[in-house]
Amino acid sequence: MSIHKVIIDTDPGVDDAAAILMALASPEIDVLGLTVVAGNVPLEDAAANACKIVGLSGRSDVPVHAGAPGPLVRDQVFGKYARIGAFGDDLVAGSGVRPADEHAVHFIVRKTREATEAGDPITICAIGPLTNIALALIQHPDVARGIRQVVSMGGAFTALGHRTPWAEFNIYADPHAAEIVYRSGVSVVVMPLDMTFQALFTQKHFERFAEEGGQAGAALFNLFSRFDRSDIDRFGRPGGPIHDATTIAWLIRPDLFKSRKAAVGVQVTGLTKGHTYADFHQKIAHVADATVVTDMDEAGFINLLIERISRYGRAAPPEAKLLGG
Ligand code: BDR
Ligand code: CA
């Protein structure tokens, strides 16, 4: 079994919570730390949520580092579910975990330099706006050598109209940062809405989190039940996506996905800011340097996520409080 050394750069966020819990339950992933960025919710709330998730997982050895409070250039926008704010104790139990003193960007710089020295570059799963990663690359370009790949949940090529008619949220929230990371020469895996929309989770799946996943599963049940992501008009069937967890699944089970190589770019200004485009046929760009994940095995991904969350139920008997319970 190959083990991926991973920093998760995140803006929790409900689907971020699922991704982090999935990673922390997976022996294939060695989570070096969580770096937090403003995105779905303001930075302070995102950091508090990351700490609660780490506490819930029983992995308080995994440090949480708060980073950029806002985007590089554009005005700040928060997620559609920004009202989530900090997860209430009724949804996710409190923990004693607190953010570390070191800034997220410094942590990324330090860990990637250590990885370069060890000759073992790390993976960054970027499941929020790419501000922290762009800052690390701008301030210290040598950081690129310590990064094996950035697995970026972001962008949309055909599944447009998510956050704006042209853009997916993580890229829209900081298009300049995305452009910097995508153009940095670092190997980038793009996991766009076109692919994440292919797996829809319903209440039946959330109930399995609660039944099988101990306190962690109960927290996910509470979060997904409260912040419903289903959109039958859009998807044509019941259920909603859990975007961010696809990055972790890609590392554990790449066989569940199909991908294509392309040059990828980002529109940074104007009405279409945050729009991502891909040159799949090398019409303009000569180097198809990004891996764009285009398809996934829906049942395979759903089962994998449920199975990983159920590991929390096996580790300790569930004592969790469910909403309305
Ligand atoms: C992305 O935006 C956020 O709302 C989610 O956490 C995910 O990272 C999906 O567009
Ligand atoms: Ca996110």
Side-chain angles (χ1 to χ4, degrees):
M1 180 176 70
S2 62
I3 297 177
H4 302 270
K5 289 194 164 67
V6 173
I7 291 175
I8 303 179
D9 191 74
T10 177
D11 62 337
V14 172
D15 57 332
D16 300 73
I20 295 164
L21 287 169
M22 183 184 195
L24 292 174
S26 295
E28 302 89 340
I29 312 260
D30 175 7
V31 182
L32 303 176
L34 306 186
T35 52
V36 181
V37 63
N40 277 313
V41 294
L43 180 66
E44 204 173 286
D45 292 342
N49 292 344
C51 287
K52 275 193 165 181
I53 299 160
V54 163
L56 197 60
S57 73
R59 291 288 312 278
S60 47
D61 57 303
V62 173
V64 175
H65 298 266
L72 295 183
V73 178
R74 67 153 299 160
D75 49 315
Q76 188 155 34
V77 285
F78 296 113
K80 184 173 156 201
Y81 295 91
R83 68 180 189 284
I84 302 170
F87 298 154
D89 288 346
D90 57 328
L91 296 174
V92 184
S95 76
V97 178
R98 297 283 173 268
D101 289 338
E102 187 181 21
H103 191 279
V105 174
H106 295 165
F107 179 76
I108 293 171
V109 172
R110 181 164 65 83
K111 283 293 164 190
T112 51
R113 285 185 173 160
E114 285 173 13
T116 304
E117 268 177 41
D120 188 12
I122 61 175
T123 292
I124 300 181
C125 279
I127 57 177
L130 290 147
T131 323
N132 286 336
I133 304 162
L135 284 170
L137 286 164
I138 293 167
Q139 291 172 359
H140 303 283
D142 64 292
V143 156
R145 288 204 296 277
I147 301 177
R148 184 179 301 282
Q149 58 185 342
V150 173
V151 185
S152 160
M153 190 282 121
F157 301 101
T158 58
L160 296 169
H162 173 59
R163 177 54 190 240
T164 74
W166 303 281
E168 178 278 333
F169 176 72
N170 288 338
I171 309 299
Y172 179 68
D174 197 341
H176 296 87
E179 178 71 355
I180 287 164
V181 173
Y182 287 5
R183 293 252 174 270
S184 66
V186 165
S187 168
V188 175
V189 180
V190 180
M191 312 211 57
L193 298 179
D194 313 63
M195 178 276 297
T196 65
F197 281 172
Q198 292 171 23
L200 301 185
F201 290 77
T202 64
Q203 200 59 23
K204 174 186 84 184
H205 300 120
F206 304 145
E207 279 161 16
R208 287 196 58 196
F209 288 155
E211 286 157 16
E212 300 172 29
Q215 281 201 319
L220 289 182
F221 172 87
N222 290 341
L223 289 169
F224 284 111
S225 303
R226 174 72 63 88
F227 302 104
D228 180 18
R229 292 178 164 233
S230 59
D231 183 346
I232 201 144
D233 289 341
R234 168 140 212 171
F235 303 125
R237 60 190 173 111
I242 303 186
H243 310 280
D244 292 340
T246 60
T247 61
I248 307 300
W250 161 262
L251 294 177
I252 301 172
R253 289 281 310 275
D255 58 300
L256 295 176
F257 298 88
K258 284 189 194 147
S259 63
R260 293 171 69 185
K261 299 296 280 187
V264 172
V266 181
Q267 191 73 31
V268 295
T269 56
L271 200 57
T272 55
K273 66 168 138 337
H275 178 68
T276 44
Y277 50 91
D279 185 1
F280 285 110
H281 303 289
Q282 296 187 41
K283 295 279 186 203
I284 297 170
H286 297 295
V287 190
D289 50 359
T291 299
V292 179
V293 182
T294 54
D295 294 282
M296 75 152 114
D297 170 345
E298 178 180 23
F301 170 58
I302 290 175
N303 289 336
L304 181 64
L305 179 54
I306 291 173
E307 189 276 320
R308 293 305 159 112
I309 298 305
S310 76
R311 293 183 183 203
Y312 291 102
R314 282 181 246 149
E319 312 158 356
K321 207 171 120 223
L322 299 185
L323 275 182

